[in-house]
Amino acid sequence: MIGLGLVTLWFALLLGWGWRLRGALRALWCEPCLSRPVLIFESDDWAPAPPTQQAALNRLIDTLAAFRDAVDHPPVMTLGLVLSAPVQQAGQLQIRQFDEPAAEPLRAVIQRGIDAGLFSPQLHGAAHYWPAAFADWLAGDSAAGQWRGDAANLRTETLPSALQSRWWNPRLDPPAAPAAAEAEAAAEAEATLFQRCFGEPPRVAVPPTFLWQEAVETGWRRGGVRHVVTPGRRWQARDATGRLRDAGVVLHNGQRSRQGLGYLVRECYFEPERGHTAEDGLRALTQQSRLARPTLLEIHRSNFIGDSALCERALQELQWLLEQALRHHGELRFLSTLELAERIDRNDADWMLHQPLQRLKFFVRRGAIEPGLSRWFQLSGLLLLAGRG
Ligand SMILES: [Zn+2]
């Protein structure tokens, strides 16, 4: 009798706890389950300068073009495009935009990659900073003189970290996001500028440093953006020390924002310049596929435009990863992030699992590793359903 009472109590506690977690559990259950492994390379920060990017992009085209999946689709690298970049001209710091003649050779190589199905352009931002913050930093920070003096190395990657957040102004006291109306207008304007530079509106946006607010989404949506790449959370501010602070919500693939944008999750890293190898990339692909999730691998442009030995190594690791991924995952498919998002949106029967029992297995596997839910899944005994495969 006592045993039965304890089991009933345990069951009641579990249900009550699950009820409190119902919002997170529902969001997790709604995440689509892919029926086959998917691999996408996500490369941010490509900008109208420096010109060395041209050779790097040509090498990337050659590397990617040598591979095909089982349905003859080549691997795709999304290019997170920054539409302006600081350059030194005649001793002056100037801002060059992608629609200027000086950026035409770069635009041409990007277009060549797009036409070959190897590149997919995404909006990273009109700039990799909030312009008023950047101007203030240039005028008032002692480190700015050294940064702007190194003409051959004028890259936004070397700016102070907080300054690299486009939707944040670290120069205000206290630091703050731009006013909502201002951010909304700037987000719409950058989508329009993207269209002017590349001929069509951006469908996918990737906020720099993954910090953005709802007003930004409103502007993006008006400018044609339909999907946002996230790290599975939304950084919306920085604290007094510059550390990113999130909105306290886990984001899932296919989840809709209040503005109607669809979220995608990019949470795996393949940055050879930081020591990541083809084996690391393959491990990420295997783990994500075991969760019926796509593998979006973050690999910034900085891997390909700096020290030549590092660039060669990055291309070599990329090539090895593609070889091994195709060898170990016969069902592997390549496509762009936009194509993936559209398949998720229409619940594509060929790409998504629909049977509840199949989905339950992945729901449990995912829940077992999701912060905030993992203990509930462990104590519920549901893990027995997940299997080891
Ligand atoms: Zn970036």
Side-chain angles (χ1 to χ4, degrees):
M1 263 330 261
I2 293 176
L4 186 63
L6 283 175
V7 169
T8 309
L9 179 64
W10 170 79
F11 195 64
L13 285 173
L14 206 61
L15 275 182
W17 188 9
W19 180 252
R20 282 177 52 199
L21 297 173
R22 63 188 182 285
L25 288 169
R26 192 186 307 119
L28 185 66
W29 175 255
C30 290
E31 183 182 344
C33 296
L34 292 185
S35 57
R36 51 174 70 89
V38 162
L39 179 60
I40 303 171
F41 297 97
E42 287 256 323
S43 189
D44 290 344
D45 297 343
W46 298 92
T52 48
Q53 293 169 108
Q54 210 176 311
L57 289 165
N58 276 318
R59 294 289 305 278
L60 279 168
I61 287 175
D62 293 344
T63 304
L64 296 170
F67 295 91
R68 288 284 188 280
D69 66 15
V71 293
D72 206 31
H73 201 296
V76 181
M77 179 170 278
T78 67
L79 302 184
L81 298 168
V82 184
L83 306 179
S84 71
V87 291
Q88 285 278 12
Q89 267 178 335
Q92 296 284 323
L93 189 72
Q94 298 190 357
I95 302 298
R96 176 180 296 165
Q97 278 194 178
F98 249 129
D99 55 348
E100 292 176 27
E104 171 54 28
L106 266 174
R107 275 208 318 276
V109 65
I110 289 171
Q111 193 59 52
R112 189 165 79 83
I114 293 172
D115 293 344
L118 304 166
F119 292 158
S120 178
Q122 298 183 162
L123 172 65
H124 200 30
H128 211 298
Y129 42 73
W130 183 247
F134 182 60
D136 189 70
W137 179 77
L138 283 177
D141 194 297
S142 55
Q146 198 183 355
W147 182 83
R148 69 192 297 168
D150 188 1
N153 219 5
L154 271 188
R155 294 177 191 166
T156 52
E157 290 96 325
T158 54
L159 290 173
S161 170
L163 199 58
Q164 292 185 41
S165 292
R166 168 149 176 74
W167 306 108
W168 187 248
N169 188 342
R171 304 292 294 179
L172 295 177
D173 187 17
E182 214 178 342
E184 190 180 316
E188 184 178 359
E190 69 179 16
T192 306
L193 175 59
F194 183 102
Q195 179 161 14
R196 197 158 76 233
C197 296
F198 295 98
E200 51 187 59
R203 294 301 181 200
V204 181
V206 190
T209 76
F210 288 128
L211 189 161
W212 78 104
Q213 301 85 23
E214 285 196 39
V216 176
E217 291 188 4
T218 309
W220 277 342
R221 183 165 177 80
R222 225 179 280 142
V225 172
R226 294 294 175 262
H227 312 278
V228 182
V229 175
T230 78
R233 58 210 302 187
R234 177 156 65 84
W235 303 114
Q236 56 183 8
R238 288 177 180 266
D239 66 16
T241 63
R243 257 200 317 254
L244 292 156
R245 288 209 329 254
D246 80 354
V249 181
V250 175
L251 304 177
H252 297 282
N253 288 308
Q255 194 171 324
R256 290 268 143 205
S257 78
R258 286 204 288 198
Q259 275 64 33
L261 301 181
Y263 289 134
L264 291 149
V265 179
R266 179 214 285 178
E267 56 187 342
C268 301
Y269 305 92
F270 178 54
E271 308 271 16
E273 66 177 345
R274 296 191 194 171
H276 295 160
T277 63
E279 284 71 29
D280 296 318
L282 185 65
R283 196 175 308 117
L285 173 62
T286 303
Q287 285 169 354
Q288 290 293 97
S289 303
R290 189 179 174 278
L291 297 169
R293 281 175 170 157
T295 307
L296 276 66
L297 286 181
E298 186 167 295
I299 179 166
H300 283 86
R301 75 160 181 178
S302 51
N303 286 283
F304 306 109
I305 63 167
D307 173 83
S308 63
L310 281 178
C311 296
E312 290 303 322
R313 185 167 162 258
L315 288 166
Q316 184 66 73
E317 294 291 346
L318 177 61
Q319 187 180 326
W320 282 335
L321 171 54
L322 284 164
E323 286 170 5
Q324 292 185 37
L326 286 166
R327 192 177 312 138
H328 289 277
H329 295 273
E331 281 289 289
L332 180 67
R333 293 290 182 273
F334 300 127
L335 78 176
S336 70
T337 302
L338 175 60
E339 288 169 315
L340 172 67
E342 290 177 343
R343 287 182 191 282
I344 288 175
D345 275 1
R346 62 174 183 266
N347 210 357
D348 192 315
D350 284 345
W351 287 69
M352 310 297 153
L353 297 175
H354 288 101
Q355 287 184 7
L357 266 182
Q358 277 181 317
R359 291 174 44 77
L360 181 63
K361 180 173 77 175
F362 298 110
F363 171 68
V364 173
R365 283 183 184 174
R366 292 166 176 180
I369 56 166
E370 181 163 318
L373 291 181
S374 58
R375 284 180 64 77
W376 186 83
F377 274 90
Q378 283 158 9
L379 291 173
S380 68
L382 279 170
L383 293 187
L384 292 172
L385 293 174
R388 304 179 60 83

